[in-house]
Coordinates of all heavy atoms in Angstrom, one line a residue:
M1 N -116.2 2.5 -105.7 CA -115.8 3.8 -106.3 C -114.6 3.6 -107.2 O -113.6 2.9 -106.8 CB -115.5 4.8 -105.2 CG -115.2 6.1 -105.7 SD -115.2 7.3 -104.4 CE -114.0 8.5 -105.0
P2 N -114.6 4.1 -108.4 CA -113.5 3.9 -109.3 C -112.3 4.8 -108.8 O -112.5 5.8 -108.2 CB -114.0 4.4 -110.7 CG -115.1 5.4 -110.3 CD -115.7 4.8 -109.0
S3 N -111.1 4.4 -109.2 CA -109.9 5.1 -108.8 C -109.3 5.8 -110.0 O -109.4 5.2 -111.1 CB -108.9 4.2 -108.1 OG -108.5 3.2 -108.9
L4 N -108.7 6.9 -109.8 CA -108.0 7.7 -110.8 C -106.7 7.0 -111.0 O -105.9 6.9 -110.0 CB -107.9 9.1 -110.4 CG -107.4 10.1 -111.3 CD1 -108.3 10.2 -112.5 CD2 -107.3 11.5 -110.7
K5 N -106.3 6.7 -112.2 CA -105.1 6.0 -112.5 C -104.2 6.9 -113.4 O -104.6 7.4 -114.4 CB -105.4 4.7 -113.3 CG -104.2 3.9 -113.7 CD -104.7 2.6 -114.5 CE -103.6 1.9 -115.1 NZ -104.0 0.8 -115.9
K6 N -102.9 7.0 -112.9 CA -102.0 7.8 -113.7 C -101.5 6.9 -114.9 O -101.0 5.8 -114.6 CB -100.8 8.3 -112.9 CG -99.9 9.2 -113.6 CD -99.0 9.9 -112.6 CE -98.2 10.9 -113.4 NZ -97.5 11.9 -112.6
I7 N -101.6 7.4 -116.1 CA -101.2 6.6 -117.3 C -100.0 7.3 -118.0 O -99.6 6.8 -119.1 CB -102.4 6.3 -118.2 CG1 -103.1 7.6 -118.7 CG2 -103.4 5.4 -117.6 CD1 -104.1 7.4 -119.8
G8 N -99.5 8.4 -117.6 CA -98.5 9.1 -118.2 C -98.2 10.4 -117.5 O -98.8 10.7 -116.5
D9 N -97.2 11.1 -118.0 CA -96.9 12.4 -117.4 C -98.0 13.4 -117.6 O -98.3 13.8 -118.8 CB -95.6 12.9 -118.0 CG -95.0 14.1 -117.2 OD1 -95.3 14.2 -116.0 OD2 -94.4 15.0 -117.9
G10 N -98.7 13.8 -116.6 CA -99.9 14.7 -116.7 C -101.1 14.1 -117.4 O -102.0 14.8 -117.9
K11 N -101.2 12.8 -117.4 CA -102.3 12.1 -118.0 C -102.9 11.1 -117.1 O -102.1 10.2 -116.5 CB -101.9 11.5 -119.3 CG -103.0 11.0 -120.2 CD -102.5 10.7 -121.6 CE -103.7 10.3 -122.5 NZ -103.2 10.0 -123.9
Y12 N -104.2 11.1 -116.9 CA -104.9 10.2 -116.0 C -106.1 9.5 -116.7 O -106.6 10.0 -117.7 CB -105.4 11.0 -114.8 CG -104.3 11.6 -114.0 CD1 -103.8 12.9 -114.4 CD2 -103.7 11.0 -112.9 CE1 -102.8 13.5 -113.7 CE2 -102.7 11.6 -112.2 CZ -102.2 12.8 -112.6 OH -101.2 13.4 -111.9
E13 N -106.4 8.3 -116.1 CA -107.5 7.6 -116.7 C -108.6 7.3 -115.6 O -108.2 7.0 -114.5 CB -107.0 6.2 -117.2 CG -108.0 5.3 -117.8 CD -107.4 4.0 -118.3 OE1 -106.9 4.0 -119.4 OE2 -107.4 3.1 -117.5
L14 N -109.8 7.3 -116.0 CA -110.9 7.0 -115.1 C -111.9 6.0 -115.8 O -112.5 6.4 -116.8 CB -111.7 8.3 -114.7 CG -112.7 8.2 -113.6 CD1 -112.1 7.7 -112.3 CD2 -113.4 9.6 -113.4
D15 N -111.9 4.8 -115.4 CA -112.7 3.8 -116.0 C -114.1 3.7 -115.3 O -114.2 3.3 -114.2 CB -112.0 2.4 -115.9 CG -112.8 1.3 -116.6 OD1 -113.9 1.6 -117.1 OD2 -112.3 0.2 -116.8
L16 N -115.1 4.2 -116.0 CA -116.5 4.3 -115.5 C -117.4 3.3 -116.1 O -118.6 3.5 -116.0 CB -117.0 5.7 -115.6 CG -116.2 6.8 -114.8 CD1 -116.7 8.2 -115.1 CD2 -116.1 6.5 -113.3
K17 N -116.9 2.3 -116.8 CA -117.8 1.3 -117.4 C -118.5 0.6 -116.3 O -118.0 0.2 -115.2 CB -116.9 0.3 -118.2 CG -116.3 0.9 -119.4 CD -115.6 -0.1 -120.3 CE -114.4 -0.8 -119.7 NZ -113.2 -0.1 -119.7
G18 N -119.8 0.4 -116.5 CA -120.7 -0.3 -115.6 C -121.4 0.7 -114.6 O -122.4 0.3 -113.9
F19 N -121.1 1.9 -114.7 CA -121.8 2.9 -113.8 C -122.8 3.7 -114.7 O -122.6 3.9 -115.9 CB -120.8 4.0 -113.3 CG -119.8 3.4 -112.3 CD1 -118.6 2.9 -112.6 CD2 -120.2 3.4 -110.9 CE1 -117.7 2.4 -111.7 CE2 -119.3 2.9 -110.0 CZ -118.0 2.4 -110.4
V20 N -123.9 4.0 -114.0 CA -125.0 4.7 -114.7 C -125.2 6.1 -114.0 O -124.7 6.3 -112.9 CB -126.3 4.0 -114.8 CG1 -126.2 2.7 -115.6 CG2 -126.8 3.6 -113.4
C21 N -125.9 7.0 -114.7 CA -126.1 8.3 -114.2 C -126.7 8.2 -112.8 O -127.6 7.4 -112.6 CB -127.1 9.1 -115.1 SG -126.3 9.4 -116.7
P22 N -126.3 9.1 -111.9 CA -125.4 10.3 -112.0 C -124.0 10.0 -111.7 O -123.2 10.9 -111.7 CB -126.0 11.2 -111.1 CG -126.4 10.4 -109.9 CD -126.9 9.1 -110.5
Y23 N -123.6 8.7 -111.5 CA -122.2 8.5 -111.0 C -121.1 8.8 -112.0 O -120.1 9.4 -111.5 CB -122.1 7.0 -110.6 CG -123.0 6.7 -109.4 CD1 -124.2 6.0 -109.6 CD2 -122.7 7.2 -108.2 CE1 -125.1 5.8 -108.5 CE2 -123.6 6.9 -107.1 CZ -124.8 6.3 -107.3 OH -125.6 6.1 -106.2
P24 N -121.2 8.6 -113.3 CA -120.1 9.0 -114.2 C -119.8 10.5 -114.1 O -118.7 10.9 -114.0 CB -120.6 8.6 -115.6 CG -121.5 7.4 -115.3 CD -122.2 7.8 -114.0
Q25 N -120.9 11.3 -114.0 CA -120.7 12.8 -113.9 C -120.1 13.1 -112.6 O -119.1 14.0 -112.6 CB -122.0 13.6 -114.0 CG -122.9 13.3 -115.2 CD -123.8 12.2 -115.0 OE1 -123.5 11.1 -115.1 NE2 -125.1 12.5 -114.8
M26 N -120.5 12.5 -111.5 CA -120.0 12.8 -110.2 C -118.5 12.4 -110.1 O -117.7 13.2 -109.6 CB -120.8 12.1 -109.1 CG -122.2 12.6 -108.9 SD -123.3 11.6 -107.9 CE -122.2 10.9 -106.7
Y27 N -118.2 11.3 -110.6 CA -116.8 10.8 -110.5 C -115.9 11.6 -111.4 O -114.7 11.9 -111.0 CB -116.7 9.3 -110.8 CG -117.3 8.4 -109.8 CD1 -118.1 7.3 -110.2 CD2 -117.2 8.7 -108.4 CE1 -118.7 6.5 -109.3 CE2 -117.8 7.9 -107.5 CZ -118.6 6.7 -107.9 OH -119.2 6.0 -107.0
T28 N -116.4 12.0 -112.6 CA -115.6 12.9 -113.4 C -115.3 14.2 -112.8 O -114.2 14.7 -112.8 CB -116.3 13.1 -114.8 OG1 -116.5 11.8 -115.4 CG2 -115.5 14.0 -115.7
A29 N -116.3 14.8 -112.2 CA -116.1 16.2 -111.5 C -115.1 16.0 -110.4 O -114.2 16.9 -110.3 CB -117.5 16.6 -111.0
Q30 N -115.1 14.9 -109.6 CA -114.2 14.7 -108.5 C -112.8 14.6 -109.1 O -111.8 15.1 -108.6 CB -114.5 13.5 -107.7 CG -115.8 13.7 -106.8 CD -116.2 12.4 -106.2 OE1 -115.6 11.3 -106.5 NE2 -117.2 12.5 -105.3
A31 N -112.6 13.8 -110.2 CA -111.4 13.6 -110.8 C -110.8 14.9 -111.3 O -109.6 15.1 -111.2 CB -111.5 12.5 -111.9
L32 N -111.6 15.7 -112.0 CA -111.1 16.9 -112.5 C -110.6 17.9 -111.4 O -109.6 18.6 -111.6 CB -112.2 17.6 -113.4 CG -112.5 17.0 -114.7 CD1 -113.7 17.5 -115.4 CD2 -111.3 17.1 -115.6
K33 N -111.2 17.8 -110.3 CA -110.8 18.7 -109.2 C -109.4 18.2 -108.6 O -108.7 19.0 -108.0 CB -111.8 18.7 -108.0 CG -113.1 19.4 -108.4 CD -114.1 19.4 -107.3 CE -115.4 20.0 -107.7 NZ -116.4 19.9 -106.7
S34 N -109.1 16.9 -108.8 CA -107.9 16.4 -108.3 C -106.7 16.5 -109.2 O -105.6 16.2 -108.8 CB -108.1 15.0 -107.8 OG -108.2 14.1 -108.9
I35 N -106.9 16.9 -110.4 CA -105.7 17.1 -111.3 C -105.5 18.5 -111.6 O -106.3 19.4 -111.3 CB -105.9 16.3 -112.7 CG1 -107.1 16.9 -113.5 CG2 -106.1 14.8 -112.4 CD1 -107.2 16.2 -114.9
K36 N -104.3 18.9 -112.1 CA -103.9 20.3 -112.3 C -104.3 20.8 -113.7 O -104.5 20.0 -114.6 CB -102.3 20.3 -112.2 CG -101.8 20.0 -110.8 CD -100.3 20.0 -110.8 CE -99.8 19.5 -109.5 NZ -98.4 19.2 -109.5
K37 N -104.4 22.1 -113.7 CA -104.7 22.8 -115.0 C -103.6 22.4 -116.0 O -102.4 22.3 -115.7 CB -104.7 24.3 -114.8 CG -105.2 25.0 -116.0 CD -105.6 26.4 -115.6 CE -106.1 27.3 -116.8 NZ -107.3 26.8 -117.4
G38 N -104.1 22.0 -117.2 CA -103.2 21.6 -118.3 C -103.0 20.1 -118.4 O -102.5 19.5 -119.4
E39 N -103.4 19.3 -117.3 CA -103.3 17.9 -117.4 C -104.6 17.3 -118.1 O -105.6 18.0 -118.3 CB -103.2 17.3 -115.9 CG -101.9 17.7 -115.3 CD -101.7 17.1 -113.9 OE1 -102.7 16.9 -113.2 OE2 -100.6 16.7 -113.6
V40 N -104.5 16.0 -118.4 CA -105.5 15.4 -119.2 C -106.1 14.2 -118.5 O -105.4 13.4 -117.8 CB -104.9 14.9 -120.6 CG1 -105.9 14.1 -121.4 CG2 -104.4 16.1 -121.4
L41 N -107.5 14.1 -118.6 CA -108.2 13.0 -118.0 C -108.9 12.3 -119.2 O -109.6 12.9 -120.0 CB -109.3 13.6 -117.1 CG -110.2 12.6 -116.4 CD1 -109.4 11.6 -115.5 CD2 -111.3 13.3 -115.6
V42 N -108.7 11.0 -119.2 CA -109.3 10.1 -120.2 C -110.4 9.3 -119.5 O -110.1 8.5 -118.5 CB -108.3 9.2 -120.9 CG1 -109.0 8.3 -121.9 CG2 -107.2 10.0 -121.5
V43 N -111.6 9.5 -119.8 CA -112.8 8.8 -119.2 C -113.3 7.7 -120.1 O -113.5 8.0 -121.3 CB -113.8 9.8 -118.8 CG1 -115.0 9.1 -118.1 CG2 -113.3 10.9 -117.9
Y44 N -113.6 6.6 -119.6 CA -114.2 5.5 -120.4 C -115.6 5.2 -119.8 O -115.7 5.1 -118.6 CB -113.4 4.2 -120.3 CG -112.1 4.3 -121.1 CD1 -111.0 4.7 -120.5 CD2 -112.1 4.0 -122.5 CE1 -109.8 4.8 -121.2 CE2 -110.9 4.1 -123.2 CZ -109.8 4.5 -122.5 OH -108.6 4.6 -123.2
T45 N -116.6 5.2 -120.6 CA -118.0 4.9 -120.2 C -118.7 4.0 -121.2 O -118.4 4.0 -122.4 CB -118.8 6.2 -119.9 OG1 -120.1 5.8 -119.4 CG2 -119.0 7.0 -121.2
D46 N -119.6 3.2 -120.7 CA -120.4 2.4 -121.5 C -121.9 2.8 -121.4 O -122.8 2.1 -121.9 CB -120.3 0.9 -121.3 CG -120.5 0.5 -119.8 OD1 -120.9 1.4 -119.0 OD2 -120.3 -0.7 -119.5
N47 N -122.1 3.9 -120.8 CA -123.5 4.5 -120.6 C -123.7 5.6 -121.6 O -123.2 6.7 -121.3 CB -123.7 4.9 -119.1 CG -125.1 5.3 -118.8 OD1 -126.0 4.8 -119.3 ND2 -125.2 6.4 -118.0
P48 N -124.4 5.5 -122.7 CA -124.6 6.5 -123.7 C -124.9 7.9 -123.1 O -124.4 8.9 -123.6 CB -125.6 6.0 -124.7 CG -125.5 4.5 -124.5 CD -125.2 4.2 -123.1
P49 N -126.0 8.0 -122.2 CA -126.3 9.4 -121.8 C -125.1 10.1 -121.0 O -125.1 11.3 -121.0 CB -127.5 9.1 -120.8 CG -128.0 7.8 -121.1 CD -126.9 7.0 -121.7
S50 N -124.2 9.3 -120.5 CA -123.1 9.9 -119.8 C -122.2 10.7 -120.6 O -121.5 11.6 -120.2 CB -122.3 8.8 -119.0 OG -123.1 8.2 -118.0
C51 N -122.2 10.4 -121.9 CA -121.2 11.1 -122.9 C -121.6 12.6 -122.8 O -120.7 13.4 -122.6 CB -121.4 10.6 -124.2 SG -120.7 8.9 -124.4
D52 N -122.8 13.0 -123.0 CA -123.2 14.4 -123.0 C -123.1 15.0 -121.6 O -122.7 16.1 -121.4 CB -124.7 14.5 -123.5 CG -124.8 14.3 -125.0 OD1 -123.8 14.5 -125.7 OD2 -125.9 13.9 -125.4
N53 N -123.5 14.2 -120.6 CA -123.4 14.6 -119.2 C -122.0 14.9 -118.7 O -121.7 15.9 -118.0 CB -124.1 13.7 -118.2 CG -125.6 13.5 -118.5 OD1 -126.2 14.5 -119.1 ND2 -126.2 12.4 -118.2
I54 N -121.1 14.0 -119.1 CA -119.7 14.2 -118.8 C -119.1 15.5 -119.4 O -118.4 16.3 -118.8 CB -118.8 13.0 -119.1 CG1 -119.2 11.8 -118.1 CG2 -117.3 13.3 -119.1 CD1 -118.6 10.5 -118.4
K55 N -119.5 15.7 -120.7 CA -119.0 16.9 -121.4 C -119.5 18.1 -120.7 O -118.8 19.1 -120.5 CB -119.5 16.8 -122.9 CG -119.1 18.0 -123.7 CD -119.5 17.9 -125.1 CE -119.0 19.1 -125.9 NZ -119.5 19.2 -127.2
S56 N -120.8 18.1 -120.3 CA -121.4 19.3 -119.6 C -120.6 19.6 -118.3 O -120.3 20.7 -118.0 CB -122.8 19.1 -119.3 OG -123.6 19.0 -120.5
V57 N -120.4 18.5 -117.5 CA -119.7 18.6 -116.2 C -118.3 19.2 -116.5 O -117.8 20.1 -115.8 CB -119.6 17.3 -115.5 CG1 -118.5 17.3 -114.4 CG2 -120.9 16.9 -114.9
A58 N -117.6 18.7 -117.5 CA -116.2 19.2 -117.8 C -116.3 20.7 -118.1 O -115.5 21.5 -117.6 CB -115.6 18.4 -119.0
E59 N -117.2 21.1 -119.0 CA -117.3 22.5 -119.4 C -117.7 23.4 -118.2 O -117.2 24.5 -118.1 CB -118.2 22.7 -120.6 CG -117.7 22.0 -121.8 CD -118.6 21.9 -123.0 OE1 -119.9 22.2 -122.8 OE2 -118.2 21.6 -124.1
R60 N -118.6 22.9 -117.4 CA -119.0 23.7 -116.2 C -117.8 24.0 -115.2 O -117.7 25.0 -114.5 CB -120.1 23.1 -115.4 CG -121.4 23.3 -116.0 CD -122.6 23.0 -115.0 NE -122.5 21.7 -114.5 CZ -123.1 20.6 -115.0 NH1 -123.8 20.7 -116.1 NH2 -123.0 19.5 -114.3
N61 N -116.8 23.0 -115.3 CA -115.7 23.1 -114.4 C -114.5 23.8 -115.0 O -113.4 23.8 -114.5 CB -115.2 21.7 -113.9 CG -116.2 21.2 -112.8 OD1 -116.3 21.7 -111.8 ND2 -116.9 20.1 -113.2
G62 N -114.7 24.4 -116.2 CA -113.7 25.1 -116.9 C -112.7 24.3 -117.7 O -111.7 24.7 -118.1
S63 N -113.1 23.0 -117.9 CA -112.3 22.1 -118.7 C -112.8 22.0 -120.1 O -113.9 22.5 -120.4 CB -112.3 20.7 -118.0 OG -111.7 20.8 -116.7
K64 N -112.1 21.3 -121.0 CA -112.5 21.2 -122.4 C -112.4 19.7 -122.9 O -111.4 19.1 -122.7 CB -111.6 22.1 -123.2 CG -111.9 22.1 -124.7 CD -110.9 23.0 -125.5 CE -111.2 22.9 -127.0 NZ -110.3 23.6 -127.8
V65 N -113.4 19.3 -123.5 CA -113.4 17.9 -124.1 C -112.7 18.1 -125.5 O -113.1 18.8 -126.3 CB -114.8 17.4 -124.3 CG1 -114.8 16.1 -125.1 CG2 -115.5 17.1 -123.0
V66 N -111.5 17.5 -125.6 CA -110.7 17.6 -126.8 C -110.9 16.4 -127.7 O -110.5 16.6 -128.9 CB -109.2 17.8 -126.4 CG1 -109.0 19.1 -125.7 CG2 -108.7 16.6 -125.6
A67 N -111.5 15.3 -127.3 CA -111.8 14.2 -128.2 C -112.9 13.3 -127.5 O -112.9 13.2 -126.3 CB -110.5 13.4 -128.4
M68 N -113.6 12.7 -128.4 CA -114.6 11.7 -127.9 C -114.7 10.7 -129.1 O -115.0 11.1 -130.2 CB -116.0 12.4 -127.6 CG -117.0 11.4 -127.1 SD -118.6 12.1 -126.7 CE -118.2 13.5 -125.6
D69 N -114.5 9.4 -128.7 CA -114.6 8.4 -129.7 C -115.0 7.1 -129.1 O -115.3 7.0 -127.9 CB -113.3 8.2 -130.5 CG -112.1 7.8 -129.6 OD1 -112.3 7.6 -128.4 OD2 -111.0 7.6 -130.1
M70 N -115.2 6.1 -129.9 CA -115.6 4.8 -129.5 C -114.6 3.7 -129.9 O -114.6 3.2 -131.0 CB -117.0 4.4 -130.1 CG -117.6 3.1 -129.6 SD -119.1 2.6 -130.4 CE -120.3 3.9 -129.9
P71 N -113.6 3.5 -129.0 CA -112.5 2.6 -129.3 C -112.9 1.1 -129.5 O -112.3 0.3 -130.1 CB -111.5 2.7 -128.2 CG -112.3 3.2 -127.0 CD -113.4 4.0 -127.6
E72 N -114.0 0.8 -128.9 CA -114.6 -0.6 -129.0 C -116.1 -0.4 -128.9 O -116.6 0.6 -128.4 CB -114.1 -1.5 -127.9 CG -114.4 -1.1 -126.5 CD -113.8 -2.1 -125.5 OE1 -112.7 -1.9 -125.1 OE2 -114.5 -3.0 -125.1
K73 N -116.8 -1.4 -129.5 CA -118.3 -1.3 -129.6 C -118.9 -1.1 -128.2 O -118.6 -1.9 -127.3 CB -118.9 -2.5 -130.2 CG -120.4 -2.4 -130.5 CD -120.9 -3.6 -131.2 CE -122.4 -3.4 -131.3 NZ -122.9 -4.1 -132.4
G74 N -119.7 0.0 -128.0 CA -120.4 0.2 -126.8 C -119.6 0.9 -125.7 O -120.1 1.1 -124.6
V75 N -118.4 1.3 -126.0 CA -117.5 2.0 -125.0 C -117.0 3.3 -125.6 O -116.5 3.3 -126.7 CB -116.3 1.1 -124.6 CG1 -115.4 1.9 -123.6 CG2 -116.8 -0.2 -123.9
W76 N -117.3 4.4 -124.9 CA -116.8 5.7 -125.3 C -115.6 6.1 -124.6 O -115.5 5.9 -123.4 CB -117.9 6.7 -125.2 CG -119.1 6.5 -126.1 CD1 -119.2 7.1 -127.4 CD2 -120.2 5.6 -126.0 NE1 -120.3 6.6 -128.0 CE2 -121.0 5.7 -127.1 CE3 -120.6 4.7 -125.0 CZ2 -122.1 5.0 -127.3 CZ3 -121.7 4.0 -125.1 CH2 -122.5 4.1 -126.3
R77 N -114.7 6.8 -125.2 CA -113.5 7.4 -124.6 C -113.7 8.9 -124.7 O -113.9 9.4 -125.8 CB -112.2 6.9 -125.3 CG -111.0 7.6 -124.8 CD -109.7 7.1 -125.4 NE -109.9 6.9 -126.8 CZ -109.2 5.9 -127.5 NH1 -108.4 5.1 -126.9 NH2 -109.4 5.8 -128.8
I78 N -113.6 9.6 -123.6 CA -113.8 11.0 -123.6 C -112.5 11.6 -123.0 O -112.1 11.3 -121.9 CB -115.0 11.4 -122.7 CG1 -116.2 10.7 -123.2 CG2 -115.1 13.0 -122.7 CD1 -117.4 10.8 -122.2
V79 N -111.8 12.4 -123.8 CA -110.5 13.0 -123.4 C -110.8 14.5 -123.0 O -111.3 15.3 -123.8 CB -109.5 13.0 -124.6 CG1 -108.2 13.6 -124.1 CG2 -109.3 11.5 -125.0
I80 N -110.4 14.8 -121.8 CA -110.7 16.1 -121.2 C -109.4 16.8 -120.8 O -108.6 16.2 -120.1 CB -111.7 16.0 -120.0 CG1 -112.9 15.2 -120.3 CG2 -112.0 17.4 -119.4 CD1 -113.8 14.8 -119.1
E81 N -109.3 18.0 -121.2 CA -108.1 18.8 -120.7 C -108.6 19.7 -119.6 O -109.5 20.5 -119.8 CB -107.5 19.6 -121.9 CG -106.2 20.3 -121.5 CD -105.6 21.1 -122.6 OE1 -105.4 20.5 -123.7 OE2 -105.4 22.3 -122.5
R82 N -107.9 19.6 -118.5 CA -108.3 20.5 -117.4 C -107.8 21.9 -117.6 O -106.8 22.2 -118.0 CB -107.7 19.8 -116.1 CG -107.7 20.7 -114.9 CD -109.0 20.5 -114.1 NE -109.0 21.0 -112.8 CZ -109.1 22.3 -112.5 NH1 -109.1 23.2 -113.4 NH2 -109.1 22.7 -111.2

């Protein structure tokens, strides 16, 4: 199971590379429940279908995807504000 890593004041990282559906969505939902409103979660995934699924999970939990990009080939970074 991946661990939530604090990377700054009110900012956390969740590295989900290597995980396939439904695990990225499940771990993202758990991580969002463990951070406070206004804090930021940065999720990394290398599973393309997880990009849309993570966005859906975030929105269902009242959070907002503020950025999504590909910092390296085959890896997506999804920035979510709780």
Side-chain angles (χ1 to χ4, degrees):
M1 183 169 153
S3 61
L4 190 60
K5 178 181 172 186
K6 187 168 186 165
I7 57 171
D9 191 32
K11 193 169 184 179
Y12 298 86
E13 178 182 276
L14 189 61
D15 185 350
L16 299 175
K17 294 187 296 281
F19 290 92
V20 296
C21 296
Y23 296 104
Q25 306 88 280
M26 290 171 34
Y27 293 139
T28 299
Q30 289 174 352
L32 287 170
K33 289 178 185 174
S34 69
I35 67 174
K36 297 176 185 167
K37 189 165 179 66
E39 293 184 324
V40 172
L41 175 64
V42 181
V43 179
Y44 291 92
T45 183
D46 56 2
N47 183 41
S50 292
C51 294
D52 289 332
N53 295 336
I54 287 172
K55 182 178 180 185
S56 295
V57 163
E59 291 172 350
R60 278 197 307 268
N61 285 297
S63 300
K64 180 181 177 183
V65 172
V66 294
M68 187 182 300
D69 62 2
M70 188 184 292
E72 61 183 87
K73 186 175 178 158
V75 176
W76 289 266
R77 175 176 42 210
I78 305 165
V79 181
I80 304 168
E81 184 178 309
R82 168 89 164 74

